[in-house]
Amino acid sequence: MMESVLSRRLPLVAYAWENLTRARARTALAMAGITIGVVAIASLGMFGAAFEQSTLNRVDDITRSVWITPGEDAEFEEFSRDHVAAVDRSTGDTVHTVKQYSTGVTGLRTTEQATVYGLSDPGAFVAADDGQIPETWRSGAAVGPELAQTLDVGVGDSVTIDGESYRVIAVLEPSGRSSLVGTDNAVVVPQAQVETDGYQSAIIRADSPEAAFETADALDAELNGRKEIYAVQDAEQAIERFNQQMAQIDTFLLGVGGVSMLVAAVSILNVMLMSTIERKGEIGVLRAVGYHRLDVLRLMLNEAMLLGIVGAVLGVGLSVLLGMAINAQLLSDPLAFTAEALRYTVVGFVFGTVSSFLSGLYPAWKAANARPVEALRD
């Protein structure tokens, strides 16, 4: 049914497809070459995009944050309430304050040197893996997972900090090395119970990295004159360096895929040349019964394009399946395709079809310019 419709509407395409199906094995091998090339380009590109997204997700805590510490021209080492108030007046976002110091923390049988944090809003930075951190937190301690294992303590046990006993109310989830407040080997206590008057830093969380960059620039202009009293930092330079590295990796991956596509294009060129030589008699008959050179050229190009289109469609389908496996591994969601990742499937399809068309140009030109008499004689 489909063949009959194709024959009525696009007779030259139908004729080209019939010619390809006469040599099924050779046609399948040529299509496989294009399929492999498309899979190489699209899947490698999607892997790069998924890897980039996975990395950005892991450092999301940092990329959306602005952290403020005493600057190199400041005559103080810790922020006072007045300094924090000055930061608060300069931004419309919530300012989180951080107190921290290092001391010995004693568990059931051992003492370990650890960082003690006092956070103005613990819920913005840590989460409990076991136990619970109350919204109005006035007593007790939350212990990081590595420190809890070292001290052999859990929820309900006690830890001693600077001679004062704290009941463990929660063991925290791993914060990871990329977290702005690393609590894996630390203790978090209510900020009012940290025996320091000043704040070591202030942190502002924005909705996006771009919003964080704008906030940092505005704060730096507002708080500092010629001297750097407040060191305002964001992740803009780190993200720029990361993007440059990812661009180099993407170029390398696309280069590998491009080589695969070049091999596939050479394969199609070989197939089409062999087909032209073997079908000299057929081409001579076509020219003798009235087919114009342009018709022969179009016939051969249609065959090359069909090889490319079918091979590219199969390649895109396989690439999407591979992309789902990559997303499941790196992003924990098989369908977490980004627009950039899907763009590589389009790039692979275009590369596959265009390279097939270019590979068919010379064989088509050679067939179109064969003299009918010589073709029939050969």
Side-chain angles (χ1 to χ4, degrees), residues 41 45 53 167 188 226 309:
I41 289 178
Q53 188 62 44
R167 180 174 174 270
V188 182
R226 294 182 178 179
I309 291 173

Side-chain angles (χ1 to χ4, degrees), residues 53 60 65-66 138 154 161 175 184 230 239 256 274 278 291 327 336 347-348:
Q53 188 62 44
D60 182 63
S65 299
V66 178
R138 295 180 179 175
I161 305 172
S175 60
D184 289 349
Y230 296 82
I239 291 178
V256 173
M274 292 294 294
E278 292 175 356
Y291 270 66
N327 288 342
V347 171

Side-chain angles (χ1 to χ4, degrees), residues 62-325:
I62 293 179
T63 57
R64 293 190 300 108
S65 299
V66 178
W67 55 101
I68 307 112
T69 56
E72 60 180 11
D73 298 321
E75 297 179 352
F76 51 87
E77 296 183 352
E78 298 177 342
F79 288 139
S80 66
R81 292 180 182 275
D82 291 339
H83 293 128
V84 174
V87 176
D88 198 28
R89 287 194 298 271
S90 301
T91 179
D93 298 313
T94 301
V95 179
H96 306 282
T97 54
V98 179
K99 290 183 176 182
Q100 69 180 87
Y101 68 100
S102 181
T103 188
V105 179
T106 304
L108 295 178
R109 289 185 292 272
T110 184
T111 298
E112 186 73 11
Q113 194 72 15
T115 300
V116 178
Y117 282 107
L119 307 173
S120 60
D121 184 9
F125 298 95
V126 296
D129 183 52
D130 187 17
Q132 187 176 11
I133 301 176
E135 292 185 7
T136 306
W137 189 16
R138 295 180 179 175
S139 63
V143 184
E146 293 182 8
L147 183 61
Q149 186 174 11
T150 303
L151 299 179
D152 192 21
V153 297
V155 175
D157 295 328
S158 295
V159 294
T160 302
I161 305 172
D162 295 334
E164 186 170 346
S165 180
Y166 292 80
R167 180 174 174 270
V168 177
I169 62 169
V171 175
L172 301 174
E173 291 182 352
S175 60
R177 295 180 179 179
S178 59
S179 175
L180 205 55
V181 180
T183 55
D184 289 349
N185 194 29
V187 176
V188 182
V189 299
Q191 195 171 54
Q193 296 191 13
V194 178
E195 295 180 355
T196 59
D197 294 331
Y199 305 93
Q200 279 63 48
S201 62
I203 299 173
I204 296 172
R205 287 280 179 75
D207 295 331
S208 65
E210 292 74 17
F213 305 156
E214 293 177 2
T215 299
D217 292 340
L219 280 174
D220 190 38
E222 181 74 19
L223 296 173
N224 295 316
R226 294 182 178 179
K227 293 184 177 180
E228 187 187 54
I229 308 300
Y230 296 82
V232 183
Q233 303 171 69
D234 58 31
E236 185 171 11
Q237 291 184 351
I239 291 178
E240 288 180 356
R241 288 196 297 272
F242 173 74
N243 288 337
Q244 290 173 356
Q245 292 172 353
M246 286 306 304
Q248 293 174 349
I249 293 174
D250 286 344
T251 302
F252 172 75
L253 294 178
L254 286 178
V256 173
V259 171
S260 301
M261 187 60 72
L262 179 62
V263 173
V266 172
S267 173
I268 287 188
L269 174 63
N270 182 53
V271 167
M272 294 303 296
L273 273 177
M274 292 294 294
S275 178
T276 301
I277 295 172
E278 292 175 356
R279 292 159 57 193
K280 268 190 174 181
E282 176 187 337
I283 293 171
V285 172
L286 291 176
R287 293 293 310 280
V289 299
Y291 270 66
H292 192 268
R293 286 180 177 176
L294 187 59
D295 295 327
V296 176
L297 181 76
R298 290 169 55 196
L299 174 65
M300 300 301 290
L301 285 179
N302 277 328
E303 292 182 15
M305 286 295 294
L306 284 172
L307 286 173
I309 291 173
V310 176
V313 168
L314 293 174
V316 168
L318 290 174
S319 299
V320 171
L321 294 177
L322 282 173
M324 293 174 66

Side-chain angles (χ1 to χ4, degrees), residues 42 45-46 48-50 52-53 56 246-247 250 337-347:
M46 286 193 287
E52 181 178 1
Q53 188 62 44
L56 289 176
M246 286 306 304
D250 286 344
F337 288 103
T338 62
E340 184 180 1
L342 294 176
R343 182 170 63 87
Y344 285 107
T345 61
V346 178
V347 171

